[in-house]
Amino acid sequence: MSEERVLALRRQLNQYNYEYHVLDHPTVSDAEYDRLMRELITLEEQHPELFDPNSPTQRVGGQVLDEFNKITHKRPMLSLGDVFSREELFEFARKAEAEVGPVDYCCECKIDGLAMSLNYQHGRFQYAVTRGDGVVGEDVTHNVRTIKSIPMEIDYEGELEVRGEVYMPKASFQRLNEKRREMGEEEFANPRNAAAGSIRQLDSKIAASRGLDALWYHVPQGPQLGHHQHLESLAFIQTLGFRTNPLNRLCHSIEEVWQFVEDLTLMRSDLPYEIDGIVIKVNDYAKQQQLGFTAKTPKWAIAYKFPAEQAVTRLENIFVTV
Ligand SMILES: NC(=O)c1cc2c(=O)c3cc(F)ccc3oc2nc1N
């Protein structure tokens, strides 16, 4: 019966997407993947009554909006406070530990993209919304659907929100700007602007062509899911098929946190994505609860920003040739 075949093909192609885009470990050839995709496209054309926006056939884009709708966040989406020096970072830790005692910290790359909130219900992707003003964001579901490392179906029935960063990998950025140079179009200044410009396209075919990716780093409902630490929630969403950053590191002291900052400062230019700092979070949810929030930012997390890269001063500008 073709409905069963359609559902089986969708599950199979979703699994292949996961293996290719999340595990980076495909188990089938591109030819086999394309053959199954063509079979599904044909069957869906013959059975419009089986249309499903989450079908793997919809990830290549095709929807063109005339404007962006607004969505009110179920939970306010805040931003991070910044610190710019080792001293300020140690002061952040001193204040936190004065209030809640010794803490473990989770250290993460601060991906330089745009913050994104995904919503799932009954195990299915419902919508994606930008941070906006923290209360109301833009509905960018049609474009986020084209990011193939984002699962459209998860093995969790309740309402689930997952937050992270949509970004443009450095390789995609180079390719995009090369193409724009050839077309005589203005180039994007940096991958962050390119990602934001791509997500704000009304035509999802354009977004689909930009080679965007995403990493997920916050589960607002973590405590309600029975998790006791932030890293426990990240392990949970990883089992659901979300990409999390393998570089995330649990640190038992602010000195270890600083070691992570130094390690990543050295690794930064070799990463496949741009980072503008390091995010440090108190790992234990009970201690996060005790620390709470300011009006705009959590008191249990901070962003350490890398110093702006000094333009290299050319030596001959310093030594006047006599
Ligand atoms: N750019 C990032 O890579 C990144 C950003 C945030 C946030 O903006 C953020 C904001 C909150 F209110 C709470 C946790 C957060 O965690 C975060 N973690 C990250 N790794």
Side-chain angles (χ1 to χ4, degrees), residues 88-108 229-231 247-258 260 278-284 287-288 291 299-302:
E88 287 179 284
L89 179 60
F90 275 59
E91 177 58 12
F92 160 77
R94 194 195 57 71
K95 271 194 275 190
E97 292 171 23
E99 211 164 312
V100 297
V103 295
D104 284 344
Y105 299 97
C106 175
C107 292
E108 307 175 5
Q229 292 100 17
H230 167 63
L231 279 171
L247 291 174
N248 294 343
R249 189 188 296 177
L250 180 64
C251 294
H252 303 291
S253 69
I254 194 64
E255 287 74 15
E256 279 184 38
V257 168
W258 188 251
F260 183 86
I278 302 295
V279 179
I280 298 97
K281 303 170 183 177
V282 169
N283 192 38
D284 182 88
K287 300 197 175 210
Q288 287 189 8
L291 287 164
K299 287 166 71 179
W300 44 266
I302 199 76

Side-chain angles (χ1 to χ4, degrees), residues 76-81 107-115 131 163-165 215-219 230 245 248 274-281 288 293 296-298 300-303:
M77 194 162 168
L78 303 177
S79 41
L80 294 170
C107 292
E108 307 175 5
C109 293
K110 186 172 182 296
I111 314 293
D112 198 5
L114 67 155
R131 189 203 313 268
R163 293 180 181 169
E165 202 85 1
L215 278 165
W216 306 96
Y217 53 56
H218 185 45
V219 184
H230 167 63
N245 197 326
N248 294 343
E274 286 206 346
I275 62 174
D276 60 340
I278 302 295
V279 179
I280 298 97
K281 303 170 183 177
Q288 287 189 8
F293 297 83
K296 295 193 312 188
T297 63
W300 44 266
I302 199 76

Side-chain angles (χ1 to χ4, degrees), residues 1 71 91 107 117 126 130 190 234 276 302 305:
M1 198 306 210
I71 292 180
E91 177 58 12
C107 292
S117 167
Q126 302 299 320
T130 61
N190 54 55
L234 293 196
D276 60 340
I302 199 76
K305 303 287 286 240

